[in-house]
Amino acid sequence: GLSLVLAMVGVLSSNAAFNCGVAVAAGIATIAAFFILADDLVAKTNSFFLLCACCYLSIEGATFYFFTDAPSEYPGGPNFSPTFYTTVIGLVASGTSILGIYIYNTCLSHSKYRKIFMINGLVWTFVNLISCAVFLRWNLLVGIPDEFFVLGSQALMQMVLQFGWIPGVVLMSHLCHEGMEATMYAIMAGSQNLGSNISYFTGAYLLQLFQVQPSGAKDEADQFENLWIVAVISSLGGLVPLF
């Protein structure tokens, strides 16, 4: 229900601050409902996963233009073709996801959940902070082409993503009460999806706050001046659920 509300708000309202407020309120209401209606273990676990999804602020609305703007729109930018950005990067990410699953099964499958989530959060933040270098064009200063840098960072991020996704699925499965497994799992997974939707609204407000509003217009390089700041804040947001 709340996801539908957020969808309607996104369609009907162009006010990023208002949309962000509604999204945050929806997240708070979801967490409160779990603590009222579910047992403490389910409520606390679901709150953690919801916060994880919320705090990985999505800034894809700006990074898409940063990477795909043509030279006439962003001189000196990566200027990736749509094929490279959508297909090549996607294929590499899919391949490294499989590698991430293999590494998890061989190295982390017998570790405690707390340890896994702590390691995953710290490594995820570290990899994302390194990836911010491309927004400052630092990778070019050390001689790393944009294509190789982005492919490498995406490969690492997808691999690390599996370290947190697999134990999350297993943990949610164990928390489902007997006789209502499908319903419980659907509710918990749905709240995670709600968290992802919240991250889009909060990310959009953050981009507006720092005046990062690219649109594919000509000579819009100025729109990306503060993108690295937003990317750093987004990366550090992943640490919030750990504390």
Side-chain angles (χ1 to χ4, degrees):
L2 288 175
S3 293
L4 181 59
V5 170
L6 292 185
M8 293 177 61
V9 168
V11 171
L12 299 176
S13 172
S14 59
N15 187 320
F18 172 76
N19 295 350
C20 179
V22 173
V24 172
I28 294 173
T30 301
I31 292 175
F34 266 94
F35 275 99
I36 293 171
L37 302 174
D39 58 70
D40 283 347
L41 182 59
V42 172
K44 290 177 180 179
T45 304
N46 190 72
S47 298
F48 173 75
F49 288 135
L50 179 61
L51 281 174
C52 285
C54 290
C55 292
Y56 292 142
L57 305 181
S58 176
I59 57 173
E60 295 174 4
T63 58
F64 173 81
Y65 289 106
F66 176 86
F67 287 117
T68 61
D69 269 2
S72 61
E73 297 156 353
Y74 182 22
N79 307 137
F80 292 160
S81 68
T83 301
F84 178 83
Y85 187 74
T86 58
T87 305
V88 177
I89 293 178
L91 288 174
V92 171
S94 298
T96 51
S97 294
I98 298 174
L99 179 60
I101 294 172
Y102 172 77
I103 294 175
Y104 174 84
N105 287 331
T106 55
C107 302
L108 295 172
S109 57
H110 298 293
S111 300
K112 293 183 177 180
Y113 288 124
R114 185 185 297 272
K115 178 182 177 181
I116 294 173
F117 291 131
M118 181 66 71
I119 292 174
N120 179 74
L122 293 174
V123 174
W124 173 268
T125 300
F126 178 73
V127 172
N128 272 275
L129 286 173
I130 292 177
S131 301
C132 294
V134 73
F135 301 125
L136 290 166
R137 318 305 286 133
W138 285 356
N139 59 297
L140 298 180
L141 296 178
V142 295
I144 304 177
D146 290 320
E147 291 81 0
F148 287 105
F149 188 87
V150 173
L151 285 174
S153 61
Q154 285 295 317
L156 284 173
M157 281 192 282
Q158 287 300 318
M159 195 161 51
V160 173
L161 184 64
Q162 300 306 313
F163 299 162
W165 179 75
I166 297 174
V169 171
V170 175
L171 181 56
M172 284 197 298
S173 300
H174 286 312
L175 291 174
C176 294
H177 297 308
E178 185 177 355
M180 52 186 305
E181 292 86 355
T183 302
M184 282 290 295
Y185 190 87
I187 292 173
M188 289 190 288
S191 68
Q192 276 192 287
N193 292 334
L194 174 65
S196 297
N197 290 335
I198 293 172
S199 76
Y200 292 128
F201 286 99
T202 52
Y205 176 62
L206 191 64
L207 288 169
Q208 185 186 77
L209 205 61
F210 284 88
Q211 299 180 345
V212 182
Q213 301 283 288
S215 60
K218 294 205 179 281
D219 298 319
E220 64 173 6
D222 292 346
Q223 294 292 331
F224 302 113
E225 286 185 0
N226 293 328
L227 180 56
W228 71 273
I229 301 176
V230 179
V232 168
I233 295 174
S234 175
S235 300
L236 294 176
L239 296 175
V240 173
L242 302 182
F243 302 100

